[in-house]
Amino acid sequence: QVKYGYQFRRQVAAGVTVRRPAAGSWQDLQYGGYVQLSNIGHLKRLVGGCYQARFGQGLVTNHFFHTGKSSRVMQLGGDRQGLSKVSSAGSERYQGVGATFTAGRHTEVSGWYSVDNNRVWHHAIGANVNMNFNRLRVGVTVMEHLYSDSLPVRNAYYNQGYFRGKRQCVVGADIKYSWRRLLLFAEAAAAENSTWGVGAIGGMRWTPLPDLGLVALYRYYSPTFDNRYGYAFSEGSRLGDEQGGYAGVEYKGIRRWRLAAYGDVFHFQGPKFGIRQPRTTGYEVLTQAEYLSSEHYVLMQLRSRRKGTIDTHRARAEWNYTLGNWRLRTRGDASLVCCNDGSAPMGYGVSVCQDVEYHVQAIPIVLQLRLQGFDVQDWNNRIYTYENDVLYAFSIPATYGRGGRWYINARYRINDQLSLYMRVSETVYHPSWATLKNRPVSKTDIHILLRAHL
């Protein structure tokens, strides 16, 4: 991958990225580029090339990075809005041109056009009008999707409500109101399908005390509501056929501690991926405690979920310790998965990893080492672990099987203009498990990045 970026003050940004996927040929090159102008007269934002868009709660369009439900409950109903450049190749994005203009004191108007050819030609045309007052923001978003052929959708039991036509219109309206420590937000949208599907989401964030935060949300997505370019709060990775209620709390009143918890109940009218039964109800609950001081960071987390006939229970404990140039982190994860109807035996997963980071004083180099051991019976018990990588990159691999993993990162500052990053990682599986699953015994990755700051 080769990337170049240029920025002049905060008004002009441009860049290009060329990437060859692993195991691909030179014919599989992926290109990405962008030009972005900001805050020039009535022009608030102009993007060309690769860009992303989000308006409202994301029911109509949302390409921004999202992690779903997390312990940061007070981030619900976030304010990331508008058009923004994308500096990577191969990610979710639009390709074309878009602009946002200020029209008067309280109004912003956005429009964008995108075209791509991923087996099927796709043209997207969108527009948004946002009106911002002191405490109130109201917006309307419209998108038209045109395809050269019907989308190739595998005929599976869980995707009967997916869009399969050549033309789709999606329209939505959103509102956000803030008063003192209370924030209310909502959006409703309709998507053209075999019949028009509707989706709605609404919630509130309230801080009755400086150290106490409360959040609540309700969403409803009809079985025929399907929009592959939108994403809002949901149990799954794709909107459609879901309704549910969510409530969370965050408390910081105890010195150096942060306590968080949430509960979510959801219902599916039809079958979903991994759930063949119609009309199922599930839930997810999480509790987490964090302790933070100048030298220590401690995390304890418990999470339980029922989805269909599968019950999943997970626990995580983490301890970080900083002393001078050394930073140590120990983390343990455990999972327990069982079928509440007794149709399959109970499975487990365990992972323990140790991180060591050291800043070398004699030379400007930083070293990071991780050693991990895991025993995860099957895919349902998979354990996700965040991993550091070279600059502008990270990974959260799903670990399962039996074996170990290690990686070492090195960051060396050659001079004021040049920096070198390198990462070597390897996963080694137990020979008996690799033979049983027809997998290689080991897999090695090497990442090298050279950054020139001119």
Side-chain angles (χ1 to χ4, degrees), residues 19-29 443 445:
R19 178 176 181 267
R20 177 185 174 184
S25 66
W26 290 107
Q27 287 74 29
D28 299 324
L29 283 179
K443 178 185 178 182
D445 295 288

Side-chain angles (χ1 to χ4, degrees), residues 382-413:
R382 62 192 180 275
I383 294 175
Y384 293 94
T385 307
Y386 178 90
E387 294 187 356
N388 296 301
D389 209 316
V390 298
L391 185 66
Y392 306 128
F394 67 92
S395 59
I396 311 178
T399 303
Y400 80 105
R402 180 177 297 173
R405 179 170 172 80
W406 65 269
Y407 71 77
I408 183 169
N409 289 344
R411 181 172 75 248
Y412 175 57
R413 186 174 181 180

Side-chain angles (χ1 to χ4, degrees), residues 115-280:
V115 58
D116 63 80
N117 181 20
N118 185 11
R119 292 186 292 175
V120 174
W121 281 98
H122 169 230
H123 300 264
I125 305 171
N128 171 267
V129 177
N130 249 316
M131 292 173 287
N132 295 275
F133 303 98
N134 290 335
R135 296 189 178 96
L136 178 67
R137 188 188 73 197
V138 180
V140 176
T141 309
V142 180
M143 285 207 68
E144 184 81 12
H145 299 278
L146 304 173
Y147 301 92
S148 60
D149 199 356
S150 296
L151 292 180
V153 179
R154 186 168 62 91
N155 188 23
Y157 67 91
Y158 60 86
N159 62 13
Q160 299 305 307
Y162 285 12
F163 173 74
R164 287 175 168 81
K166 295 184 180 181
R167 178 177 178 179
Q168 184 183 35
C169 178
V170 186
V171 58
D174 64 275
I175 186 172
K176 183 173 287 188
Y177 178 78
S178 61
W179 180 72
R180 295 184 178 179
R181 297 178 177 178
L182 176 66
L183 173 67
L184 303 175
F185 55 90
E187 183 176 11
E192 189 177 9
N193 207 334
S194 55
T195 61
W196 280 86
V198 296
I201 183 171
M204 70 90 180
R205 288 201 320 242
W206 183 36
T207 310
L209 300 173
D211 297 321
L212 177 64
L214 304 173
V215 61
L217 178 143
Y218 177 80
R219 74 273 190 188
Y220 170 79
Y221 312 129
S222 68
T224 56
F225 182 78
D226 181 56
N227 176 22
R228 63 193 299 258
Y229 292 92
Y231 179 81
F233 188 94
S234 173
E235 169 60 24
S237 59
R238 190 159 178 165
L239 302 180
D241 188 16
E242 179 182 337
Q243 58 180 311
Y246 170 96
V249 59
E250 184 175 308
Y251 182 64
K252 300 179 182 178
I254 305 176
R255 186 170 178 262
R256 295 180 179 176
W257 284 89
R258 189 184 79 91
L259 308 177
Y262 70 73
D264 186 36
V265 179
F266 43 86
H267 176 78
F268 308 127
Q269 183 67 21
K272 303 286 279 188
F273 179 76
I275 305 176
R276 290 185 174 273
Q277 302 88 352
R279 295 182 294 277
T280 56

